[in-house]
Structure formats: structure tokens, C-alpha cells
Amino acid sequence: MISIDDVKRRAQRDAKSRGIHLTPDEELLQDLIEGLKTNEERYGYPSCPCRMASGDLETDRDIICPCDYRDPDVAEYGCCYCSLYVDDEIHEGKKEARAIPERRPYDKQMAALGFAEKETEEEATGEMKESSRKLLYCRQCGYVVFRDTPPYVCPICQAKREMFEEIVTLSGHYTRKVG
Amino acid sequence: MISIDDVKRRAQRDAKSRGIHLTPDEELLQDLIEGLKTNEERYGYPSCPCRMASGDLETDRDIICPCDYRDPDVAEYGCCYCSLYVDDEIHEGKKEARAIPERRPYDKQMAALGFAEKETEEEATGEMKESSRKLLYCRQCGYVVFRDTPPYVCPICQAKREMFEEIVTLSGHYTRKVG
Amino acid sequence: MISIDDVKRRAQRDAKSRGIHLTPDEELLQDLIEGLKTNEERYGYPSCPCRMASGDLETDRDIICPCDYRDPDVAEYGCCYCSLYVDDEIHEGKKEARAIPERRPYDKQMAALGFAEKETEEEATGEMKESSRKLLYCRQCGYVVFRDTPPYVCPICQAKREMFEEIVTLSGHYTRKVG
């Protein structure tokens, strides 16, 4: 069983390691940390306390905290969707956190609510299920991820998602996919 | 030749980049940094100053500082096995660093002491030695590593090791291994 | 269109996340940030404001800021080639930033100036262009990158570039390349 303090410390370490902060609003902070703990106990992973999770990891993957949208939201608005993570200006009280638009794509929101296309029977029973994940790499620093879509920002060198490209194999050799 | 200052600065940068600290005990710090320097000169890599290294990189890999066990130990106990790395509370003197249990598996400890099973002759002479390393990815953020076992915590998104899964190729396509 | 403030904040977050700083010289800082913005608008990526870019991403990849040489230069000299990024000592005024040698290999500098060997016609027309990028991994922590040469320092565990080795596939299994 994970404790409130563990969840909070993990978030603090993560904020520090990214050069950002947790919200200075103590009450909000407590609520969000409790929400994360509840979700982690319910689903096995700390999904975003401000969004509806489905309970299916592949569906919820992008909203597990820190969610896929945190870094671009903090860069653009100074805070994440929940205002759990904030930038220097909001941390120092020079700016206020405000409601920001939901960056999560509409089809993912719908899927979380159960309005997604069902898997075909074949997919559901195949022993080796084909994944839509691909090996992608950042053309700037070479960072490799296995995801369906690139991250918004490269966590290693801060390059934009447009810098990511697929890696494919050609008779055992890796190469980059060209147009 | 690496200098004491270089080793110390590298450890400081690494602590900062993780949101943690070096021990506030100056004397202990000096001893540990000197131990790291000695090991780096002796083995070619800075293995843990508080553990017995074998001199074989594959055997010692998990105890090269920062060791595989640092992040889970700092998360659980507030400090690593050596107390070189500590969390906010210990850094600020609110809590004291104390001896913590050895998280390194027993078979790895024995291997470091030379009590491991020997390689078969075939393995030892094969031109292309099969590695037990696998391509693994974090199901949360997609981070990819080439290791025999997953890291305790994903260095990118802080997910637990249970989130890691193997990537396999299927006629040139990457897929995830299912059940 | 990216703003000056966005470029500056991105650099600040990146410095913090690495345990280093931006130059304390405000005038120099402003010049460098403006240079990065200009390059990002011109080339589509923020190449180093102190070096000649070619406009071809593969050629310029190593000098996109933060460049490949920043981390080893900050470790060895306390600042990067531009003095945009500095260490604690320079940040606190205990030491001054000074001109440092260019670590970028001579052939890359020449290529940026247009003195590189041309691609053969075959390479230029092949639908699937063979890349010189390889899957490489850090033997210490398992970090995987897709690059032609290893990074100077592993961004995850700070291991030296000599720790990187190629991953090859052998009938669908990944293995390490041995001698």
C-alpha cells in the first residue's frame, strides 16, 4: 500500500528533476495527491485525478501522471491540466494558475468513456497481438521510445514531436523510414 | 586521470538532476567520493564504494554508481545504501540517514564474490555471444532500455518496474509480447 | 511563431533539469536566446547560435541546442562552447567563463560548410535510404539511442561514451555485438 507521503515525495522529486514545481496551493495539492493515491489503489497506476480513467492501461496510458500533456501545458500555460505542476512564475506568485484547454484528443476521451471501437475477435484471441506501438527516435538526440505516437517534447533534449521518426528493420539492420 | 573534483561535481549534477542531494556529512562525502575515484581507476567504472566489485563489467553493472538500487532506496528510506545520495528531509537535517537493507539480489552478491556458475565452453568461445539483455519498454511513457531486468523505477516517468514489458520483432515489425 | 520568452523558459527548464544554470551575464544571455530564436525560425530547429549551421538537419544534428558537446564541456570547463550553460562555480561568480576549445569534429565542421563528400546517386534515389544510425545501448543502465555515434555522456546514468555498444538482431532476437 502506497502512502500519501510516498505519492507526494514522488511528485516532488519528479517536479524537481524537470525544473518545475508542485502547486503552491496547499489545499489543492493535498486533494490532488489524495486523488492520485486513490487512482493508484483502484487501477494499479496513478491516473490523472482530474480526468476520467477507463481502468484499461492501454487506454489510460496517456493520462497516467505525469501525463503526456504536462510538459507542453507547463511550457505553454505555466501549469498542467490539474494545476498540480506549475512553472517558476506561478510558483513564485507572479502569475496565477488558470483553467486551460484539454489537450487530450477527443477520440481518447471518448475511448475512456467506453465509446471506442471494439477489438475484432481475431485481435482479442491472437496469441501474439499486433501492437500499434512503433520504435520511434528523436532525430536530434537519438532518444528511443516504443509508443503509438511521439511524445510532445523529447524528455532528453526538449525537441518538438515533429523531430521523431520511425525506426524500421531491413534484413536485420535498423534504418530510418524515408518518405 | 579523473580528479576528485570531477567525481564530486558529476555526483552533484546527478543528484540535482534527480531532485535529490549528496550527504550533508562532509567527512563521509569525502570518503565516498575518494572510493568512487579509486574504483574508477581500478576497474574503469565507478562501482559502489560500499560494495564488493568483481572487476567484470557485466557482473558489476548494477552496482555502478548511481546503482540500480539508489532510486528505490531513496524513495523508500530517504537514502541510498552508502548514504551518498539523500532526500530533502535528510539533507535538511529533519531525519537521520540510517543503515538500510541490501536490495541487491543474493545471487548477484555471490557472483561478485566468484561463486557464480561458470560459462559453458560453447558460450565462452561463440563469436556472437547470446546476451540475456532484452529490449524492454515502459508501458506508461514508452521509454526503451536494453537490460536483462527492468529498472526499479522508470527514469523518465517514475513508473514502477511492473510497467515494463518486452519488445519482440515479428517479421520485421515490432510488437509487444503477450502472455 | 515561438517567442523569446518561450525559448528562454525552455532553456531555463533544461538547465534546471540537468543541475546546471544559464549564464549570469544578462546581456550575453539575451543575445544567445535571440540567436536561438532566429535559427529556429530559419532552419526549423534551434541550432547553436555560435556555430555555422548548414540548414540540413542530419548535418546539423549535433549542434542543435543543447548540443552534443554541452554536457562534456560543462563537466570539463564549467561552461558550454557559447557560455550559455554554466556550472555552479561560474553561476555563483567563483570562476569566470572563458573561451574553450571546439569539441565538434573537424569533418563535421567542414560538412557544415559544404565541403562534405556528396551522396552517391544510388543513395540519393533509393526509396529506403540506409542510415548510418545504429541502435546503441549504455552497458551501465541500458539506455537506448538511435545515433551514428554514442553521446559523450549517458543522459540517464552519466556513464562515459565508452560504455555504449551496438545492439544487433540475430534471427529476431536482440543481442550484443561481440568483438
Side-chain angles (χ1 to χ4, degrees):
Chain A
M1 176 87 65
I2 191 160
S3 76
I4 280 282
D5 277 358
D6 285 340
V7 178
K8 195 168 170 180
R9 272 198 294 260
R10 183 177 60 197
Q12 269 164 341
R13 276 195 312 273
D14 192 57
K16 275 201 184 179
S17 79
R18 293 290 169 157
I20 59 177
H21 309 272
L22 297 186
T23 175
D25 179 334
E26 282 294 338
E27 204 174 321
L28 175 65
L29 178 61
Q30 195 63 22
D31 284 354
L32 293 171
I33 296 293
E34 276 168 20
L36 285 171
K37 180 180 185 294
T38 303
N39 287 351
E40 186 155 350
E41 284 165 5
R42 185 182 292 158
Y43 304 121
Y45 44 83
S47 65
C48 176
C50 308
R51 287 173 171 121
M52 185 65 73
S54 71
D56 172 62
L57 188 136
E58 282 293 317
T59 308
D60 296 339
R61 196 198 50 72
D62 59 317
I63 58 162
I64 300 179
C65 185
C67 72
D68 274 18
Y69 315 105
R70 182 192 64 178
D71 291 345
D73 281 340
V74 171
E76 189 168 345
Y77 304 108
C79 62
C80 72
Y81 188 66
C82 287
S83 299
L84 174 58
Y85 290 96
V86 303
D87 71 0
D88 281 357
E89 288 184 282
I90 295 180
H91 178 69
E92 292 160 16
K94 293 183 189 161
K95 213 173 75 180
E96 249 184 275
R98 55 182 178 77
I100 65 167
E102 169 61 291
R103 194 184 288 268
R104 189 183 202 201
Y106 184 74
D107 62 330
K108 295 213 168 185
Q109 294 181 49
M110 292 307 279
L113 296 167
F115 292 108
E117 281 180 52
K118 291 238 182 318
E119 287 183 322
T120 65
E121 199 178 325
E122 202 177 21
E123 280 171 350
T125 57
E127 191 146 302
M128 180 68 82
K129 187 165 136 191
E130 192 76 25
S131 166
S132 61
R133 287 182 186 257
K134 298 177 279 283
L135 267 191
L136 305 169
Y137 73 102
C138 169
R139 286 187 292 162
Q140 182 165 326
C141 72
Y143 177 65
V144 174
V145 280
F146 191 55
R147 291 170 60 108
D148 45 0
T149 54
Y152 275 87
V153 174
C154 172
I156 299 299
C157 76
Q158 323 292 330
K160 291 171 294 189
R161 79 182 318 168
E162 289 75 25
M163 277 287 169
F164 280 84
E165 197 171 69
E166 189 176 346
I167 304 175
V168 295
T169 48
L170 196 61
S171 39
H173 290 279
Y174 298 98
T175 187
R176 64 201 180 93
K177 204 172 183 174
V178 173
Chain B
M1 176 88 64
I2 193 160
S3 76
I4 280 282
D5 277 359
D6 285 340
V7 178
K8 196 168 171 180
R9 274 198 295 260
R10 183 176 61 198
Q12 269 163 341
R13 277 195 312 272
D14 192 58
K16 275 200 182 179
S17 78
R18 294 290 169 158
I20 59 178
H21 309 270
L22 296 186
T23 174
D25 180 334
E26 282 295 337
E27 201 174 323
L28 175 65
L29 178 60
Q30 195 63 22
D31 284 353
L32 294 172
I33 296 292
E34 276 168 21
L36 286 170
K37 180 179 185 295
T38 303
N39 287 350
E40 187 155 349
E41 285 165 4
R42 184 181 294 157
Y43 305 122
Y45 44 82
S47 65
C48 175
C50 308
R51 287 171 171 124
M52 185 64 75
S54 72
D56 172 63
L57 188 136
E58 283 293 315
T59 307
D60 296 339
R61 197 199 50 71
D62 60 316
I63 58 163
I64 300 179
C65 185
C67 73
D68 275 18
Y69 315 105
R70 182 193 64 178
D71 291 346
D73 280 341
V74 171
E76 189 167 345
Y77 304 108
C79 62
C80 72
Y81 187 65
C82 287
S83 299
L84 174 58
Y85 291 97
V86 303
D87 69 1
D88 281 357
E89 288 185 280
I90 294 180
H91 178 69
E92 293 160 15
K94 292 183 189 162
K95 213 172 74 181
E96 250 184 274
R98 54 181 179 76
I100 64 169
E102 170 61 292
R103 195 184 287 268
R104 189 183 203 201
Y106 185 73
D107 62 331
K108 294 212 169 187
Q109 294 181 50
M110 292 307 279
L113 296 168
F115 292 108
E117 282 179 52
K118 290 240 184 314
E119 288 183 322
T120 65
E121 200 179 325
E122 201 176 21
E123 281 171 349
T125 58
E127 192 147 301
M128 179 68 83
K129 187 166 136 191
E130 193 75 27
S131 166
S132 61
R133 289 182 185 256
K134 298 177 280 281
L135 267 192
L136 305 169
Y137 74 101
C138 168
R139 287 187 292 163
Q140 183 166 324
C141 72
Y143 177 66
V144 174
V145 279
F146 190 56
R147 290 170 59 108
D148 46 358
T149 54
Y152 274 89
V153 173
C154 171
I156 300 297
C157 76
Q158 321 294 330
K160 289 171 294 187
R161 79 182 318 169
E162 290 75 25
M163 277 287 169
F164 280 84
E165 199 170 69
E166 190 176 347
I167 304 175
V168 295
T169 49
L170 197 59
S171 38
H173 290 278
Y174 297 96
T175 187
R176 64 202 180 93
K177 203 172 182 176
V178 174
Chain C
M1 175 89 63
I2 192 161
S3 75
I4 280 282
D5 277 359
D6 285 342
V7 179
K8 195 167 169 180
R9 273 197 294 261
R10 183 177 60 197
Q12 269 163 342
R13 279 195 309 274
D14 192 58
K16 274 200 184 178
S17 78
R18 294 291 169 156
I20 59 178
H21 309 272
L22 296 186
T23 174
D25 179 334
E26 281 295 337
E27 202 174 321
L28 175 65
L29 179 59
Q30 195 63 22
D31 285 353
L32 294 172
I33 297 293
E34 276 168 21
L36 285 171
K37 180 179 186 293
T38 302
N39 287 350
E40 187 154 350
E41 285 165 6
R42 184 181 294 158
Y43 305 121
Y45 44 83
S47 65
C48 176
C50 308
R51 286 172 172 123
M52 185 64 73
S54 72
D56 171 63
L57 190 136
E58 282 293 317
T59 307
D60 296 340
R61 197 199 51 69
D62 59 316
I63 58 163
I64 300 179
C65 184
C67 72
D68 275 18
Y69 316 105
R70 182 192 64 178
D71 291 345
D73 280 340
V74 171
E76 189 167 344
Y77 304 107
C79 62
C80 71
Y81 188 65
C82 287
S83 299
L84 174 58
Y85 291 96
V86 304
D87 71 359
D88 281 357
E89 287 184 282
I90 294 179
H91 178 68
E92 293 160 15
K94 293 184 190 160
K95 211 173 73 179
E96 251 185 274
R98 54 182 179 78
I100 65 168
E102 170 61 290
R103 195 184 288 267
R104 189 182 203 202
Y106 184 74
D107 62 331
K108 296 213 170 186
Q109 294 181 49
M110 292 307 279
L113 295 168
F115 293 107
E117 282 180 52
K118 291 239 185 314
E119 286 183 323
T120 66
E121 199 179 325
E122 201 176 23
E123 280 171 351
T125 58
E127 191 145 302
M128 180 67 84
K129 187 165 135 191
E130 192 76 27
S131 166
S132 62
R133 288 182 186 258
K134 299 176 279 281
L135 268 190
L136 305 169
Y137 74 101
C138 169
R139 286 188 291 164
Q140 182 165 325
C141 73
Y143 177 65
V144 174
V145 280
F146 191 55
R147 292 170 59 107
D148 45 359
T149 53
Y152 275 88
V153 174
C154 172
I156 300 298
C157 76
Q158 322 296 328
K160 290 171 294 186
R161 79 183 318 170
E162 290 75 27
M163 277 288 169
F164 280 83
E165 197 171 71
E166 189 177 347
I167 304 175
V168 296
T169 48
L170 197 60
S171 40
H173 290 280
Y174 297 97
T175 187
R176 64 202 180 92
K177 203 172 182 175
V178 173

